């Protein structure tokens, strides 16, 4: 993919004459602009964007080897809105593994009822002080933390504690879906993820110039240089705060994941063809968006 750098209202342009590749400049600039908010309860650092756009160590966190120490795995956690075996939007982690909720856990109850042997089959997504949590496509207000029986903090979304399933081995696996009628893949609101065709509002507003009914203006959006919200290999992502003034992207971004309604344009300066989106877009070059060169500017809708 071409090198990409984020600019906002004319700021953040790559310095001319720099020897660093433009993509590395983009990563550095985005990391520098990405304010960290520390959760008072858990001590976890919440950051916009993805693991890749924040230059997380690929040998730690969600991508650490299975036999790595807990402290290595807790360096960072990514929980993002994406596709899980045809369920969309669904929450997946930094390796693309599906994230589940347990019906025996009370919503907003602050407790997990999966401990001991249960937790070996359904590992809790745990964090500690200093863990970096990336959450593209999930509203910050939907994220919280509960204290487990073993004293560790577990991430909750929409008041539901979040888990993995030990039989899921690769991105897209949903072998834990509906196990015992109690385990379900989670969506970004902490509810049950459903097949894309069943999800309400997936295409609403994408070519009408109006947000989907009930959609709130986006607070943040993650743009991906490649299709299908890919943030691995040669694709690159940037997570940004959405404001009520036009912001430019240097280069075109072919997919995006907002946490609310955002207006996008096919040209810099909020010019050219426009669309309002309220849900993930996997290919902005295709219908109904139809931006052959990708998204180049945006503003809060």
């Amino acid at each position: 993919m071409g090198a990409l750098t984020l600019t906002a209202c004319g700021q953040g342009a790559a310095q001319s004459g720099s020897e660093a590749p433009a993509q590395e400049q983009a990563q550095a600039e985005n990391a520098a602009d990405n304010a960290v908010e520390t959760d008072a309860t858990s001590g976890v650092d919440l950051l916009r964007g993805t693991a890749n756009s924040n230059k997380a160590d690929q040998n730690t966190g969600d991508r650490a080897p299975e036999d790595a120490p807990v402290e290595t795995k807790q360096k960072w956690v990514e929980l993002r809105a994406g596709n899980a075996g045809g369920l969309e939007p669904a929450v997946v982690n930094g390796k693309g593994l599906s994230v589940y909720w347990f019906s025996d856990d009370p919503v907003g109850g602050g407790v997990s009822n999966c401990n001991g042997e249960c937790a070996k089959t359904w590992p809790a997504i745990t964090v500690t002080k200093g863990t970096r949590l990336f959450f593209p496509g999930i509203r910050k207000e939907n994220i919280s933390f509960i204290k487990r029986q073993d004293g560790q903090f577990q991430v909750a979304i929409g008041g539901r504690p979040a888990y993995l399933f030990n039989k899921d081995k690769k991105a897209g696996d949903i072998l834990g879906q509906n196990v015992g009628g109690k385990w379900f893949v989670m969506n970004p609101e902490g509810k049950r993820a459903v097949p894309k065709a069943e999800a309400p509002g997936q295409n609403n507003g994408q070519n009408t110039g109006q947000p989907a009914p009930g959609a709130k203006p986006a607070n943040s959006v993650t743009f991906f240089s490649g299709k299908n919200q890919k943030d691995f290999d040669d694709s690159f992502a940037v997570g940004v705060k959405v404001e009520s003034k036009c912001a430019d992207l240097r280069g075109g971004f072919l997919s995006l994941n907002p946490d609310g309604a955002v207006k996008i344009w096919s040209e810099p300066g909020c010019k050219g063809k426009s669309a309002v989106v309220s849900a993930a877009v996997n290919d902005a070059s295709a219908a109904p968006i139809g931006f052959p060169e990708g998204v180049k500017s945006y503003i809060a809708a």
Side-chain angles (χ1 to χ4, degrees), residues 235-246:
S235 187
F236 176 65
V238 266
V240 298
K241 184 177 181 180
V242 181
E243 299 181 317
S244 57
K245 54 184 178 180
C246 183

Side-chain angles (χ1 to χ4, degrees), residues 93-296:
N93 77 349
K95 286 183 69 175
L97 295 177
S98 304
V99 175
Y100 297 86
W101 58 272
F102 183 33
S103 64
D104 282 1
D105 290 341
V107 180
V111 297
S112 165
N113 285 314
C114 180
N115 298 281
E117 290 301 314
C118 174
K120 294 179 181 178
T121 302
W122 302 92
I125 297 178
T126 58
V127 290
T128 189
K129 183 178 180 180
T131 297
R132 302 170 76 202
L133 176 62
F134 313 115
F135 52 102
I138 301 175
R139 288 183 176 274
K140 186 171 62 178
E141 56 265 35
N142 284 339
I143 297 173
S144 59
F145 304 90
I146 69 163
K147 199 164 188 179
R148 295 179 53 77
Q149 286 184 1
D150 60 8
Q152 293 196 79
F153 283 103
Q154 180 176 0
V155 182
I157 298 178
R160 294 185 187 273
Y163 306 84
L164 300 174
F165 183 47
N166 68 359
K167 292 184 180 180
D168 286 347
K169 298 300 182 183
K170 64 182 186 300
D173 283 352
I174 52 171
L175 300 177
Q177 176 72 342
N178 205 27
V179 168
K182 293 189 174 185
W183 292 92
F184 306 98
V185 176
M186 176 181 285
N187 77 7
E189 296 179 346
K191 299 176 182 178
R192 185 172 180 172
V194 297
K196 186 175 182 180
E198 297 177 21
Q202 286 296 306
N203 293 314
N204 288 349
Q206 287 195 359
N207 251 352
T208 65
Q210 297 295 328
K216 298 179 181 178
N219 293 312
S220 65
V221 58
T222 301
F223 291 96
F224 301 84
S225 63
K227 298 176 183 179
N228 300 314
Q229 305 172 61
K230 184 181 177 185
D231 187 29
F232 304 94
D233 303 324
D234 59 349
S235 187
F236 176 65
V238 266
V240 298
K241 184 177 181 180
V242 181
E243 299 181 317
S244 57
K245 54 184 178 180
C246 183
D248 287 346
L249 296 160
R250 184 172 298 175
F253 286 72
L254 291 176
S255 57
L256 63 144
N257 203 324
D259 67 357
V262 61
K263 192 168 186 177
I264 54 176
W265 274 268
S266 61
E267 301 297 334
C270 292
K271 297 179 181 179
K273 187 177 180 180
S274 67
V276 174
V277 298
S278 306
V281 174
N282 285 329
D283 183 3
S285 67
I289 305 299
F291 291 6
E293 304 300 322
V295 181
K296 295 186 178 180

